[in-house]
PDB file of all heavy atoms in Angstrom:
ATOM      1  N   LEU V  10     109.212 137.088  82.555  1.00 75.00           N
ATOM      2  CA  LEU V  10     108.503 135.947  83.146  1.00 75.00           C
ATOM      3  C   LEU V  10     107.404 136.427  84.089  1.00 75.00           C
ATOM      4  O   LEU V  10     106.268 135.940  84.031  1.00 75.00           O
ATOM      5  CB  LEU V  10     109.504 135.071  83.899  1.00 75.00           C
ATOM      6  CG  LEU V  10     108.942 133.846  84.618  1.00 75.00           C
ATOM      7  CD1 LEU V  10     108.286 132.897  83.624  1.00 75.00           C
ATOM      8  CD2 LEU V  10     110.042 133.124  85.381  1.00 75.00           C
ATOM      9  N   ARG V  15     101.740 137.617  85.624  1.00 82.00           N
ATOM     10  CA  ARG V  15     100.760 138.628  86.048  1.00 82.00           C
ATOM     11  C   ARG V  15      99.596 138.696  85.075  1.00 82.00           C
ATOM     12  O   ARG V  15      98.435 138.841  85.480  1.00 82.00           O
ATOM     13  CB  ARG V  15     101.432 140.003  86.167  1.00 82.00           C
ATOM     14  CG  ARG V  15     102.332 140.166  87.375  1.00 82.00           C
ATOM     15  CD  ARG V  15     102.624 141.637  87.643  1.00 82.00           C
ATOM     16  NE  ARG V  15     103.283 142.271  86.513  1.00 82.00           N
ATOM     17  CZ  ARG V  15     104.602 142.366  86.368  1.00 82.00           C
ATOM     18  NH1 ARG V  15     105.411 141.849  87.302  1.00 82.00           N
ATOM     19  NH2 ARG V  15     105.137 142.948  85.324  1.00 82.00           N
ATOM     20  N   PHE V  32      88.107 122.334  91.741  1.00 84.00           N
ATOM     21  CA  PHE V  32      88.294 121.807  93.089  1.00 84.00           C
ATOM     22  C   PHE V  32      87.134 120.898  93.473  1.00 84.00           C
ATOM     23  O   PHE V  32      87.332 119.856  94.116  1.00 84.00           O
ATOM     24  CB  PHE V  32      88.424 122.950  94.094  1.00 84.00           C
ATOM     25  CG  PHE V  32      89.713 123.722  93.981  1.00 84.00           C
ATOM     26  CD1 PHE V  32      89.851 124.953  94.605  1.00 84.00           C
ATOM     27  CD2 PHE V  32      90.769 123.230  93.262  1.00 84.00           C
ATOM     28  CE1 PHE V  32      91.033 125.671  94.503  1.00 84.00           C
ATOM     29  CE2 PHE V  32      91.964 123.935  93.146  1.00 84.00           C
ATOM     30  CZ  PHE V  32      92.097 125.162  93.768  1.00 84.00           C
ATOM     31  N   GLU V  51      89.986  94.746 100.267  1.00 76.00           N
ATOM     32  CA  GLU V  51      91.445  94.686 100.319  1.00 76.00           C
ATOM     33  C   GLU V  51      91.931  93.561  99.410  1.00 76.00           C
ATOM     34  O   GLU V  51      92.033  92.405  99.831  1.00 76.00           O
ATOM     35  CB  GLU V  51      91.926  94.472 101.754  1.00 76.00           C
ATOM     36  CG  GLU V  51      91.555  95.614 102.689  1.00 76.00           C
ATOM     37  CD  GLU V  51      92.128  95.432 104.072  1.00 76.00           C
ATOM     38  OE1 GLU V  51      92.864  94.443 104.294  1.00 76.00           O
ATOM     39  OE2 GLU V  51      91.852  96.282 104.943  1.00 76.00           O
ATOM     40  N   ALA V  77      98.578 114.815  83.248  1.00 91.00           N
ATOM     41  CA  ALA V  77      97.641 115.448  82.312  1.00 91.00           C
ATOM     42  C   ALA V  77      97.954 116.928  82.160  1.00 91.00           C
ATOM     43  O   ALA V  77      97.913 117.482  81.048  1.00 91.00           O
ATOM     44  CB  ALA V  77      96.208 115.246  82.793  1.00 91.00           C
ATOM     45  N   ARG V  81      99.185 118.726  78.532  1.00 89.00           N
ATOM     46  CA  ARG V  81      98.277 119.607  77.789  1.00 89.00           C
ATOM     47  C   ARG V  81      98.574 121.089  77.943  1.00 89.00           C
ATOM     48  O   ARG V  81      98.217 121.883  77.067  1.00 89.00           O
ATOM     49  CB  ARG V  81      96.841 119.345  78.226  1.00 89.00           C
ATOM     50  CG  ARG V  81      96.500 119.892  79.589  1.00 89.00           C
ATOM     51  CD  ARG V  81      95.013 119.842  79.891  1.00 89.00           C
ATOM     52  NE  ARG V  81      94.717 120.535  81.140  1.00 89.00           N
ATOM     53  CZ  ARG V  81      94.670 119.966  82.325  1.00 89.00           C
ATOM     54  NH1 ARG V  81      94.910 118.665  82.425  1.00 89.00           N
ATOM     55  NH2 ARG V  81      94.412 120.662  83.405  1.00 89.00           N
ATOM     56  N   SER V  84     100.824 123.069  75.147  1.00 84.00           N
ATOM     57  CA  SER V  84     100.175 123.146  73.838  1.00 84.00           C
ATOM     58  C   SER V  84      98.911 123.993  73.914  1.00 84.00           C
ATOM     59  O   SER V  84      98.611 124.759  72.987  1.00 84.00           O
ATOM     60  CB  SER V  84      99.844 121.741  73.325  1.00 84.00           C
ATOM     61  OG  SER V  84      99.060 121.028  74.252  1.00 84.00           O
ATOM     62  N   ALA V  88      98.300 127.395  71.715  1.00 80.00           N
ATOM     63  CA  ALA V  88      97.106 127.519  70.878  1.00 80.00           C
ATOM     64  C   ALA V  88      96.312 128.772  71.248  1.00 80.00           C
ATOM     65  O   ALA V  88      95.802 129.489  70.370  1.00 80.00           O
ATOM     66  CB  ALA V  88      96.231 126.272  71.030  1.00 80.00           C
ATOM     67  N   ALA V  98     103.295 138.708  68.697  1.00 72.00           N
ATOM     68  CA  ALA V  98     103.599 139.958  69.407  1.00 72.00           C
ATOM     69  C   ALA V  98     104.563 139.721  70.563  1.00 72.00           C
ATOM     70  O   ALA V  98     105.452 140.542  70.826  1.00 72.00           O
ATOM     71  CB  ALA V  98     102.305 140.581  69.925  1.00 72.00           C
ATOM     72  N   LEU V 109     108.357 132.182  77.959  1.00 80.00           N
ATOM     73  CA  LEU V 109     107.006 132.017  77.412  1.00 80.00           C
ATOM     74  C   LEU V 109     106.391 130.710  77.884  1.00 80.00           C
ATOM     75  O   LEU V 109     105.223 130.656  78.289  1.00 80.00           O
ATOM     76  CB  LEU V 109     107.067 132.059  75.885  1.00 80.00           C
ATOM     77  CG  LEU V 109     105.750 131.772  75.148  1.00 80.00           C
ATOM     78  CD1 LEU V 109     104.729 132.860  75.430  1.00 80.00           C
ATOM     79  CD2 LEU V 109     105.996 131.655  73.644  1.00 80.00           C
ATOM     80  N   VAL V 118     100.145 125.430  87.128  1.00 88.00           N
ATOM     81  CA  VAL V 118     100.928 124.582  88.029  1.00 88.00           C
ATOM     82  C   VAL V 118     100.593 124.909  89.483  1.00 88.00           C
ATOM     83  O   VAL V 118     100.422 124.001  90.318  1.00 88.00           O
ATOM     84  CB  VAL V 118     102.441 124.760  87.775  1.00 88.00           C
ATOM     85  CG1 VAL V 118     103.260 124.114  88.881  1.00 88.00           C
ATOM     86  CG2 VAL V 118     102.821 124.160  86.425  1.00 88.00           C
ATOM     87  N   ALA V 139      96.792 107.734 106.783  1.00 79.00           N
ATOM     88  CA  ALA V 139      97.734 108.819 106.531  1.00 79.00           C
ATOM     89  C   ALA V 139      99.178 108.337 106.620  1.00 79.00           C
ATOM     90  O   ALA V 139      99.566 107.709 107.609  1.00 79.00           O
ATOM     91  CB  ALA V 139      97.508 109.945 107.539  1.00 79.00           C
ATOM     92  N   ALA V 153     107.750 115.713  91.157  1.00 95.00           N
ATOM     93  CA  ALA V 153     108.262 116.830  90.362  1.00 95.00           C
ATOM     94  C   ALA V 153     108.993 116.328  89.116  1.00 95.00           C
ATOM     95  O   ALA V 153     108.809 116.868  88.014  1.00 95.00           O
ATOM     96  CB  ALA V 153     109.184 117.693  91.209  1.00 95.00           C
ATOM     97  N   ALA V 167     103.546 121.247  71.894  1.00 87.00           N
ATOM     98  CA  ALA V 167     103.378 122.680  71.603  1.00 87.00           C
ATOM     99  C   ALA V 167     104.132 123.065  70.338  1.00 87.00           C
ATOM    100  O   ALA V 167     103.672 123.905  69.550  1.00 87.00           O
ATOM    101  CB  ALA V 167     103.855 123.512  72.786  1.00 87.00           C
ATOM    102  N   LEU V 179      97.357 114.211  70.730  1.00 73.00           N
ATOM    103  CA  LEU V 179      98.101 113.148  71.387  1.00 73.00           C
ATOM    104  C   LEU V 179      98.032 113.171  72.903  1.00 73.00           C
ATOM    105  O   LEU V 179      98.245 112.137  73.540  1.00 73.00           O
ATOM    106  CB  LEU V 179      99.581 113.203  70.958  1.00 73.00           C
ATOM    107  CG  LEU V 179      99.852 112.992  69.465  1.00 73.00           C
ATOM    108  CD1 LEU V 179     101.341 113.112  69.187  1.00 73.00           C
ATOM    109  CD2 LEU V 179      99.347 111.625  69.022  1.00 73.00           C
ATOM    110  N   SER V 208     106.179  99.021  80.715  1.00 92.00           N
ATOM    111  CA  SER V 208     105.921 100.000  81.779  1.00 92.00           C
ATOM    112  C   SER V 208     107.206 100.620  82.311  1.00 92.00           C
ATOM    113  O   SER V 208     107.183 101.740  82.829  1.00 92.00           O
ATOM    114  CB  SER V 208     105.146  99.335  82.924  1.00 92.00           C
ATOM    115  OG  SER V 208     105.967  98.419  83.627  1.00 92.00           O
ATOM    116  N   LEU V 240     114.329 108.588  86.752  1.00 97.00           N
ATOM    117  CA  LEU V 240     113.552 109.778  86.397  1.00 97.00           C
ATOM    118  C   LEU V 240     114.469 110.953  86.070  1.00 97.00           C
ATOM    119  O   LEU V 240     114.201 111.723  85.138  1.00 97.00           O
ATOM    120  CB  LEU V 240     112.614 110.150  87.546  1.00 97.00           C
ATOM    121  CG  LEU V 240     111.353 109.299  87.692  1.00 97.00           C
ATOM    122  CD1 LEU V 240     110.620 109.665  88.980  1.00 97.00           C
ATOM    123  CD2 LEU V 240     110.420 109.497  86.504  1.00 97.00           C
ATOM    124  N   VAL V 245     116.768 114.606  82.044  1.00 97.00           N
ATOM    125  CA  VAL V 245     117.954 115.208  81.411  1.00 97.00           C
ATOM    126  C   VAL V 245     117.946 114.969  79.904  1.00 97.00           C
ATOM    127  O   VAL V 245     118.397 115.817  79.120  1.00 97.00           O
ATOM    128  CB  VAL V 245     119.240 114.639  82.054  1.00 97.00           C
ATOM    129  CG1 VAL V 245     120.461 115.027  81.239  1.00 97.00           C
ATOM    130  CG2 VAL V 245     119.381 115.148  83.486  1.00 97.00           C
ATOM    131  N   SER V 265     108.857 131.195  57.638  1.00 75.00           N
ATOM    132  CA  SER V 265     107.749 131.077  56.689  1.00 75.00           C
ATOM    133  C   SER V 265     106.702 132.166  56.849  1.00 75.00           C
ATOM    134  O   SER V 265     105.765 132.268  56.055  1.00 75.00           O
ATOM    135  CB  SER V 265     107.079 129.705  56.849  1.00 75.00           C
ATOM    136  OG  SER V 265     106.525 129.569  58.139  1.00 75.00           O
TER     137      SER V 265
END
Side-chain angles (χ1 to χ4, degrees):
L10 178 61
R15 286 197 300 268
F32 290 165
E51 297 184 3
R81 74 170 187 268
S84 55
L109 175 65
V118 168
L179 298 178
S208 70
L240 283 172
V245 169
S265 63

